[in-house]
Amino acid sequence: MSGRTNDEATLVPQTVFDGPELRFDFPGLRIGVAEYEKGPTGCTVFQLPPGGAACAVDVRGGSPGTIGSAYEWAHAVCFAGGSLYGLEATCGVAAELMARRGHTVGWDEIELAVGGIIYDFGRRENSIYPDRELGRAALRSAREGVFPLGARGAGRSATVGKTFSFEEGEASGQGGAFRRIGETRVAVFTVVNAFGAIVDRDGTVVRGHRDPERGTRTPLVEALEARLPQAAPGNTTLTAVVTNQQLDRRSLRQFAVQVHASLARAIQPFHALVDGDVLCAVSTNDVENGELTALSLGVVASELAWDAVLASVPD
């Protein structure tokens, strides 16, 4: 069948969407989303303020796919579907950044892009992936203060809750949350394509662990009484945490670890062998808030991360 690959299909980036969205106030942070409906698949790009920002990338789970994860400074972060091939979208972001500065290649002019991917081929019959052109389109469409929720961008074909059977996975997407404490701003954005299920603060499973015959969802501890987990492949949760609070290198690294570990409350189980979880923490270091320590900022961001996961499956 023709049109099943990037080489065969005529692919047109879509960058304007209707539907639920998060509105937030973070000057300088621009977000762009682009999709190929023929996948469907997509990518989500976070363009950081001019000059870039300090970053720390925490990689967990047994099956990650990243590019630039060793960088301690970044100008953009790109999340994409398409598994390994979707890393090309990050290269497209880098190419667009290069074009904007006139294709200069001075040592101190090159802008760094961090990328992570999810495996989103499970529910479709083609191999179309977010490529270089889609990454460029996402960056071109970036704007401040708006983040589409649900099955958009990198989360276009994401699924969750495959703990007991790949076929029982349910549609998910991308979610976000934002809070301001004084002059400190912190935002969390996540693409949930997890092996585990999404759990709310009452312990209720809101997506995943679904019994197809009864149409009910079961907490993990109860589901284990009936059957053992199956190693369903193709899972990853990608998360970006962005703040303007000043954090030194050590604090930023531990901030990333703290928030990433906290997601195990919202996604159960988490960081499995068949997950490729990645969290990128970014600080623009613009604000010094003496009342907010790095540890307390981590607590706030961890609660926002739970909110972001729940927002990935809007009603």
Side-chain angles (χ1 to χ4, degrees):
M1 182 184 298
S2 63
R4 294 183 60 186
T5 73
N6 289 57
D7 294 334
E8 298 170 338
T10 301
L11 299 173
V12 179
Q14 179 182 357
T15 58
V16 179
F17 307 96
D18 295 323
E21 58 188 20
L22 170 70
R23 295 277 179 165
F24 63 95
D25 175 25
F26 201 123
L29 173 62
R30 299 167 61 85
I31 299 177
V33 171
E35 295 177 12
Y36 285 145
E37 185 60 33
K38 287 188 177 180
T41 190
C43 63
T44 302
V45 174
F46 306 91
Q47 183 182 5
L48 303 176
C55 74
V57 182
D58 189 50
V59 181
R60 304 196 178 203
S63 307
T66 65
I67 186 170
S69 59
Y71 295 158
E72 295 182 345
W73 194 265
H75 298 83
V77 177
C78 178
F79 294 156
S83 191
L84 173 71
Y85 314 104
L87 292 175
E88 186 181 316
T90 303
C91 296
V93 171
E96 183 65 19
L97 290 172
M98 181 185 187
R100 291 184 179 187
R101 66 173 184 273
H103 297 94
T104 57
V105 290
W107 175 257
D108 58 353
E109 295 176 304
I110 294 175
E111 294 165 290
L112 305 176
V114 176
I117 46 85
I118 69 168
Y119 180 93
D120 64 349
F121 292 119
R123 287 195 165 193
R124 48 196 182 93
E125 298 180 352
N126 61 66
S127 59
I128 292 173
Y129 62 89
D131 56 15
R132 183 173 180 270
E133 290 308 312
L134 197 66
R136 297 189 75 157
L139 185 61
R140 290 175 186 144
S141 71
R143 54 180 177 155
E144 288 189 7
V146 181
F147 179 74
L149 301 172
R152 295 267 74 101
R156 182 66 173 85
S157 287
T159 56
V160 295
K162 293 156 277 188
T163 312
F164 300 102
S165 171
F166 186 75
E167 289 75 18
E168 292 177 17
E170 295 185 86
S172 54
Q174 62 182 19
F178 171 80
R179 186 172 177 184
R180 181 173 175 176
I181 303 172
E183 292 303 309
T184 297
R185 291 172 168 86
V186 58
V188 182
F189 310 98
T190 189
V191 179
V192 187
N193 188 62
F195 175 61
I198 296 176
V199 179
D200 68 14
R201 285 179 170 78
D202 295 325
T204 302
V205 177
V206 297
R207 193 63 57 95
H209 295 173
R210 184 175 181 274
D211 185 328
E213 296 182 359
R214 299 180 180 179
T216 57
R217 298 184 176 90
T218 307
L220 180 60
V221 65
E222 296 180 17
L224 286 172
E225 296 177 359
R227 50 184 174 167
L228 294 175
Q230 304 298 313
N235 314 283
T236 290
T237 297
L238 305 173
T239 306
V241 185
V242 186
T243 183
N244 62 352
Q245 176 83 353
Q246 290 185 8
L247 295 170
D248 59 35
R249 182 177 298 177
R250 179 171 179 264
S251 296
L252 182 59
R253 163 58 59 185
Q254 196 57 41
F255 176 65
V257 172
Q258 181 179 350
V259 179
H260 208 187
S262 78
L263 284 170
R265 300 176 300 167
I267 302 171
Q268 300 178 12
F270 197 44
H271 296 333
L273 179 65
V274 290
D275 281 312
D277 307 318
V278 179
L279 182 143
C280 182
V282 174
S283 173
T284 61
N285 285 315
D286 293 325
V287 172
E288 184 176 359
N289 187 340
E291 297 182 356
L292 193 62
T293 65
L295 188 150
S296 57
L297 180 66
V299 172
V300 172
S302 294
E303 292 305 311
L304 287 175
W306 200 338
D307 291 337
V309 170
L310 294 174
S312 69
V313 287
D315 295 333

